């Protein structure tokens, strides 16, 4: 068992990381670092810098928001710590690539996580697609931001990614499902008139010769739609809910079960540690940056939580 | 001498490529491909696809605008041609990386050019900086877009990059002058109310521990300002006009002479061909995409040519 230190105790740490660590066969939670919250039954540190100097040994799992996380990750690497980062790996692609470079130089292990890749249906989807020719891809990735980010104004501020906070999850799956490189060819962003970042995006992309369309709207009400449909030369694959379930040609191949994404993520971090690897895949963030580079922006109604 | 085919006969081909090829010790112009223009004294092809099937052997120099160029480059690689591309290498970073990948698979040589890197002062600037510690970098990159892109509305349309058409040139120098990875930390874009793309940008960046500031304005009147100032632990370096001249601590190290950027660029392409290399540095485009990802946009007065 490897000692683990959980840094940044917010919603995602409480709801996803803590249960996954508790269930992990690889990690024991040794300490928590947070300015405002504590975790019962372990050492708690309120100051991150103090922790890095005097805190216990162990690998770090950093769950703080992207902007704060960048400086924290740099400090952790400089202090010789192994780190797993929540997604996205950094506020920009250049900064993410730089983190990977710093970890390589320092000889520390580093994992930039994309939790959706660890859904139970993902491996089976890759297996099904193997050897088939992709003809067309259709993606919808909509949810109600009032439910998923209630009151979190920062998602609509510059650097907050807007709807791409969500869409990078779709990209994280698409980049490991599609064999050819994915490129954005045009993007339309709807930006509420009282906000800076898009609440909706419509993307045209290509994966090799196959056209790929993606739409994502944060004003969606009701059940979330995280749907990827891939038409091939021999049938059509549907991931109806992220990486959690799978259908092919109308038949269910993987039924939606218990969400074990974060447990699988921690198992993957154990592998990164065992092999002393630096695993920072910037492609999902790259596609977001490319979309912003190409985007035609239109103004839409003001949005308030 | 290698046979060269010039594809896309616009202003930049006439003013920069043709003279550089004429003066080159490595290349002979064999043919030109352009829908609307011809070059005297060589074979002229008006249809690019026809040319790829029936045209003469030779390496391609592609000078068409970025959007058209992507498809042309893919076709050239698929036809087994060696290619040099004008900057930027593609409309998006993902597409540029994909081109490099396609060239590697096809075994063709590919150069994504950044012409400013071939200014006569650049090597001397790198030499001067070597072993010095960077403390602060200040960049201004302003010109009068009415003079440099008269009537070219596409630069202000989605995918036209706006002022970054120019700023990527600054990035192309900064990325080979500064030893540490350059990251954008904040960006402000001024977008004319009748346009989609920024006419001015103010960037805060970092290169390792050194703060980097960049401003660029396309409404600048009079002489262009392409200025990079680098303060180090042992003196201050100034590139007062792109890569064309150099001063250190107030003394002139390289005086501005004849502009031989494109001649040096073609010499560099000869090297890429000799070594059968794929040389596509996406960093300048990456920094632009990162800036768009982070940018706070403000509206400014309408702009008309």
């Amino acid at each position: 068992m490897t000692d683990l230190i959980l840094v940044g105790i917010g919603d995602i740490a409480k709801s996803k990381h803590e249960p996954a660590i508790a269930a992990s066969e690889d990690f024991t939670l040794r300490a928590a670092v947070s300015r405002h919250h504590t975790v019962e039954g372990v050492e708690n540190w309120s100051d991150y810098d103090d922790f890095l100097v005097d805190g216990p040994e162990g690998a770090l799992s950093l769950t703080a928001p992207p902007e704060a996380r960048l400086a924290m990750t740099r400090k952790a690497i400089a202090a010789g710590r192994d780190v797993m980062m929540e997604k996205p790996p950094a506020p920009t692609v250049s900064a993410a690539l730089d983190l990977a470079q710093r970890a390589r130089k320092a000889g520390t292990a580093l994992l930039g996580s994309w939790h959706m890749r660890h859904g139970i249906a993902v491996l089976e989807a890759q297996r099904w697609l193997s050897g088939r020719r992709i003809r067309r891809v259709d993606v919808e990735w909509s949810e109600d931001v009032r439910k998923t980010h209630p009151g979190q104004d920062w998602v609509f501020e510059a650097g907050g990614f807007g709807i791409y906070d969500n869409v990078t999850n779709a990209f994280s799956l698409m980049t490991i499902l599609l064999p050819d490189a994915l490129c954005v060819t045009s993007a339309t962003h709807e930006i509420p008139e009282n906000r800076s970042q898009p609440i909706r995006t419509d993307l045209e992309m290509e994966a090799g010769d196959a056209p790929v369309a993606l739409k994502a709207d944060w004003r969606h009400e009701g059940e979330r739609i995280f749907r990827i449909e891939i038409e091939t030369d021999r049938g059509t694959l549907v991931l109806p809910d992220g990486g959690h379930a799978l259908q092919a040609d109308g038949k269910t191949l993987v039924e939606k079960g218990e969400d074990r994404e974060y447990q699988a993520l921690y198992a993957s971090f154990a592998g990164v540690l065992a092999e002393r690897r630096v695993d920072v895949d910037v492609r999902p963030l790259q596609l977001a940056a490319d979309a912003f580079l190409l985007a035609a922006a239109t103004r839409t109604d003001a949005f308030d939580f």
Side-chain angles (χ1 to χ4, degrees), chain A:
Chain A
M1 299 285 270
T2 302
D3 282 348
L4 189 96
I5 291 104
L6 191 55
V7 182
I9 309 298
D11 286 348
I12 198 82
K14 287 276 174 206
S15 65
K16 300 291 185 182
H17 290 264
E18 284 188 32
I21 297 162
S24 169
E25 289 167 9
D26 303 299
F27 295 101
T28 312
L29 188 61
R30 174 76 195 274
V33 184
S34 168
R35 246 179 294 184
H36 304 296
H37 298 91
T38 57
V39 174
E40 262 183 69
V42 302
E43 266 184 48
N44 284 279
W45 292 73
S46 60
D47 187 280
Y48 182 66
D49 293 339
D50 288 350
F51 159 77
L52 282 181
V53 176
D54 295 320
E57 297 289 305
L60 268 53
S61 175
L62 290 178
T63 75
E67 217 183 313
R69 206 169 58 226
L70 178 60
M72 294 170 89
T73 309
R74 287 177 176 170
K75 284 181 183 176
I77 292 168
R81 294 280 185 161
D82 298 327
V83 175
M84 175 168 83
M85 308 180 277
E86 258 294 344
K87 63 102 202 175
T92 63
V93 177
S94 305
L97 293 170
D98 177 52
L99 283 179
Q101 190 56 28
R102 288 176 190 230
R104 274 184 216 105
K105 273 194 197 160
T108 60
L110 180 65
L111 173 61
S113 72
W114 296 104
H115 61 85
M116 281 242 172
R117 289 180 171 176
H118 301 280
I120 50 166
V122 174
L123 274 176
E124 187 58 31
Q126 288 175 315
R127 217 173 284 139
W128 191 91
L129 287 167
S130 153
R132 284 179 162 92
R133 207 182 151 80
I134 313 290
R135 284 203 175 137
R136 187 189 51 82
V137 182
D138 249 309
V139 179
E140 177 163 8
W141 215 262
S142 297
E143 62 177 12
D144 186 345
V145 69
R146 289 191 173 93
K147 284 184 196 157
T148 57
H149 295 274
Q152 293 175 34
D153 289 315
W154 67 269
V155 299
F156 287 114
E157 286 163 14
F161 297 115
I163 182 74
Y164 286 86
D165 177 82
N166 192 11
V167 171
T168 49
N169 289 324
F171 289 158
S172 77
L173 284 177
M174 293 157 75
T175 43
I176 62 168
L177 291 175
L178 303 173
D180 289 306
L182 205 53
C183 299
V184 180
T185 54
S186 83
T188 308
H189 286 175
E190 282 185 32
I191 304 175
E193 59 184 24
N194 60 337
R195 305 285 183 172
S196 150
Q197 297 296 300
I199 197 162
R200 181 190 170 102
T201 181
D202 287 88
L203 297 177
E204 287 173 27
M205 310 175 73
E206 52 186 15
D209 295 329
V212 178
L214 181 149
K215 66 175 169 184
D217 201 319
W218 252 352
R219 293 162 306 191
H220 175 79
E221 290 176 8
E223 283 285 290
R224 72 183 187 192
I225 301 174
F226 289 175
R227 187 175 192 280
I228 298 176
E229 180 177 310
I230 303 175
E231 185 189 313
T232 76
D233 57 345
R234 290 184 288 127
T236 297
L237 186 82
V238 176
L239 291 147
D241 186 34
H244 296 299
L246 185 65
Q247 300 156 359
D249 298 325
K251 273 182 266 178
T252 296
L253 298 191
V254 179
E255 207 148 349
K256 190 171 173 179
E258 196 195 347
D259 174 2
R260 292 167 56 92
E261 277 183 2
Y262 276 80
Q263 271 180 258
L265 176 57
Y266 274 94
S268 143
F269 185 36
V272 166
L273 291 178
E275 297 163 15
R276 313 292 315 144
R277 274 192 292 126
V278 172
D279 178 347
V280 181
D281 184 355
V282 299
R283 287 176 300 166
L285 185 59
Q286 180 71 75
L287 290 167
D290 282 345
F292 275 85
L293 185 63
L294 289 186
T298 61
R299 283 291 176 181
T300 186
D301 294 345
F303 177 85
D304 295 291
F305 282 103

